[in-house]
mmCIF file of all heavy atoms in Angstrom:
data_model
loop_
_atom_site.group_PDB
_atom_site.id
_atom_site.type_symbol
_atom_site.label_atom_id
_atom_site.label_comp_id
_atom_site.label_asym_id
_atom_site.label_seq_id
_atom_site.Cartn_x
_atom_site.Cartn_y
_atom_site.Cartn_z
ATOM 1 N N GLY A 387 -5.691 6.497 8.007
ATOM 2 C CA GLY A 387 -7.116 6.255 7.872
ATOM 3 C C GLY A 387 -7.428 4.920 8.525
ATOM 4 O O GLY A 387 -6.536 4.080 8.704
ATOM 5 N N LEU A 388 -8.659 4.701 8.887
ATOM 6 C CA LEU A 388 -9.012 3.486 9.609
ATOM 7 C C LEU A 388 -10.394 3.013 9.180
ATOM 8 O O LEU A 388 -11.362 3.777 9.210
ATOM 9 C CB LEU A 388 -8.991 3.766 11.116
ATOM 10 C CG LEU A 388 -9.194 2.608 12.076
ATOM 11 C CD1 LEU A 388 -8.105 1.555 11.903
ATOM 12 C CD2 LEU A 388 -9.181 3.122 13.516
ATOM 13 N N LEU A 389 -10.474 1.748 8.765
ATOM 14 C CA LEU A 389 -11.754 1.144 8.413
ATOM 15 C C LEU A 389 -12.119 0.085 9.434
ATOM 16 O O LEU A 389 -11.240 -0.648 9.915
ATOM 17 C CB LEU A 389 -11.674 0.473 7.031
ATOM 18 C CG LEU A 389 -11.562 1.377 5.803
ATOM 19 C CD1 LEU A 389 -11.449 0.516 4.546
ATOM 20 C CD2 LEU A 389 -12.758 2.305 5.703
ATOM 21 N N PRO A 390 -13.394 -0.033 9.785
ATOM 22 C CA PRO A 390 -13.812 -1.155 10.618
ATOM 23 C C PRO A 390 -13.676 -2.441 9.823
ATOM 24 O O PRO A 390 -13.457 -2.404 8.604
ATOM 25 C CB PRO A 390 -15.284 -0.832 10.920
ATOM 26 C CG PRO A 390 -15.726 -0.050 9.710
ATOM 27 C CD PRO A 390 -14.522 0.781 9.326
ATOM 28 N N TRP A 391 -13.809 -3.567 10.486
ATOM 29 C CA TRP A 391 -13.706 -4.832 9.757
ATOM 30 C C TRP A 391 -14.748 -4.868 8.645
ATOM 31 O O TRP A 391 -15.915 -4.522 8.844
ATOM 32 C CB TRP A 391 -13.923 -6.018 10.694
ATOM 33 C CG TRP A 391 -13.703 -7.324 9.983
ATOM 34 C CD1 TRP A 391 -12.546 -8.015 9.852
ATOM 35 C CD2 TRP A 391 -14.700 -8.066 9.251
ATOM 36 N NE1 TRP A 391 -12.735 -9.133 9.091
ATOM 37 C CE2 TRP A 391 -14.032 -9.193 8.701
ATOM 38 C CE3 TRP A 391 -16.052 -7.889 9.000
ATOM 39 C CZ2 TRP A 391 -14.712 -10.147 7.928
ATOM 40 C CZ3 TRP A 391 -16.727 -8.823 8.218
ATOM 41 C CH2 TRP A 391 -16.054 -9.946 7.703
ATOM 42 N N MET A 392 -14.299 -5.294 7.454
ATOM 43 C CA MET A 392 -15.163 -5.460 6.289
ATOM 44 C C MET A 392 -14.697 -6.683 5.516
ATOM 45 O O MET A 392 -13.500 -7.036 5.573
ATOM 46 C CB MET A 392 -15.087 -4.237 5.360
ATOM 47 C CG MET A 392 -15.555 -2.927 5.956
ATOM 48 S SD MET A 392 -15.281 -1.508 4.821
ATOM 49 C CE MET A 392 -16.439 -1.898 3.490
ATOM 50 N N PRO A 393 -15.569 -7.353 4.785
ATOM 51 C CA PRO A 393 -15.113 -8.456 3.922
ATOM 52 C C PRO A 393 -14.100 -7.934 2.907
ATOM 53 O O PRO A 393 -14.300 -6.862 2.320
ATOM 54 C CB PRO A 393 -16.399 -8.936 3.237
ATOM 55 C CG PRO A 393 -17.501 -8.486 4.128
ATOM 56 C CD PRO A 393 -17.035 -7.191 4.729
ATOM 57 N N CYS A 394 -13.018 -8.664 2.711
ATOM 58 C CA CYS A 394 -11.974 -8.216 1.794
ATOM 59 C C CYS A 394 -12.266 -8.679 0.365
ATOM 60 O O CYS A 394 -13.133 -9.512 0.123
ATOM 61 C CB CYS A 394 -10.608 -8.730 2.248
ATOM 62 S SG CYS A 394 -10.516 -10.517 2.450
ATOM 63 N N GLY A 395 -11.540 -8.098 -0.586
ATOM 64 C CA GLY A 395 -11.661 -8.506 -1.982
ATOM 65 C C GLY A 395 -12.926 -8.037 -2.665
ATOM 66 O O GLY A 395 -13.307 -8.577 -3.710
ATOM 67 N N THR A 396 -13.577 -7.005 -2.103
ATOM 68 C CA THR A 396 -14.837 -6.538 -2.675
ATOM 69 C C THR A 396 -14.698 -5.120 -3.229
ATOM 70 O O THR A 396 -13.782 -4.378 -2.862
ATOM 71 C CB THR A 396 -15.956 -6.532 -1.614
ATOM 72 O OG1 THR A 396 -15.626 -5.569 -0.595
ATOM 73 C CG2 THR A 396 -16.113 -7.901 -0.982
ATOM 74 N N VAL A 397 -15.626 -4.748 -4.085
ATOM 75 C CA VAL A 397 -15.663 -3.372 -4.595
ATOM 76 C C VAL A 397 -15.948 -2.417 -3.440
ATOM 77 O O VAL A 397 -15.406 -1.313 -3.373
ATOM 78 C CB VAL A 397 -16.728 -3.236 -5.691
ATOM 79 C CG1 VAL A 397 -16.931 -1.768 -6.070
ATOM 80 C CG2 VAL A 397 -16.319 -4.039 -6.933
ATOM 81 N N GLU A 398 -16.777 -2.847 -2.492
ATOM 82 C CA GLU A 398 -17.174 -1.986 -1.375
ATOM 83 C C GLU A 398 -15.972 -1.582 -0.519
ATOM 84 O O GLU A 398 -15.814 -0.405 -0.167
ATOM 85 C CB GLU A 398 -18.228 -2.686 -0.506
ATOM 86 C CG GLU A 398 -19.586 -2.819 -1.138
ATOM 87 C CD GLU A 398 -19.659 -3.864 -2.242
ATOM 88 O OE1 GLU A 398 -18.792 -4.770 -2.250
ATOM 89 O OE2 GLU A 398 -20.566 -3.775 -3.104
ATOM 90 N N ILE A 399 -15.112 -2.533 -0.187
ATOM 91 C CA ILE A 399 -13.947 -2.173 0.626
ATOM 92 C C ILE A 399 -12.952 -1.364 -0.205
ATOM 93 O O ILE A 399 -12.233 -0.515 0.325
ATOM 94 C CB ILE A 399 -13.278 -3.426 1.252
ATOM 95 C CG1 ILE A 399 -12.398 -2.998 2.438
ATOM 96 C CG2 ILE A 399 -12.464 -4.214 0.222
ATOM 97 C CD1 ILE A 399 -11.906 -4.167 3.278
ATOM 98 N N GLY A 400 -12.951 -1.592 -1.514
ATOM 99 C CA GLY A 400 -12.116 -0.787 -2.397
ATOM 100 C C GLY A 400 -12.557 0.660 -2.399
ATOM 101 O O GLY A 400 -11.735 1.582 -2.314
ATOM 102 N N GLU A 401 -13.865 0.877 -2.477
ATOM 103 C CA GLU A 401 -14.398 2.240 -2.472
ATOM 104 C C GLU A 401 -14.125 2.928 -1.143
ATOM 105 O O GLU A 401 -13.760 4.113 -1.104
ATOM 106 C CB GLU A 401 -15.899 2.202 -2.751
ATOM 107 C CG GLU A 401 -16.237 1.773 -4.177
ATOM 108 C CD GLU A 401 -17.725 1.540 -4.386
ATOM 109 O OE1 GLU A 401 -18.452 1.319 -3.382
ATOM 110 O OE2 GLU A 401 -18.171 1.566 -5.555
ATOM 111 N N ALA A 402 -14.302 2.201 -0.045
ATOM 112 C CA ALA A 402 -14.079 2.779 1.283
ATOM 113 C C ALA A 402 -12.608 3.130 1.493
ATOM 114 O O ALA A 402 -12.277 4.168 2.072
ATOM 115 C CB ALA A 402 -14.546 1.799 2.362
ATOM 116 N N THR A 403 -11.719 2.272 1.004
ATOM 117 C CA THR A 403 -10.287 2.525 1.124
ATOM 118 C C THR A 403 -9.890 3.748 0.302
ATOM 119 O O THR A 403 -9.164 4.625 0.772
ATOM 120 C CB THR A 403 -9.486 1.296 0.653
ATOM 121 O OG1 THR A 403 -9.858 0.155 1.435
ATOM 122 C CG2 THR A 403 -7.988 1.529 0.807
#
Side-chain angles (χ1 to χ4, degrees):
L388 186 61
L389 290 178
W391 185 89
M392 297 175 67
C394 56
T396 65
V397 171
E398 289 73 22
I399 199 169
E401 291 172 339
T403 302

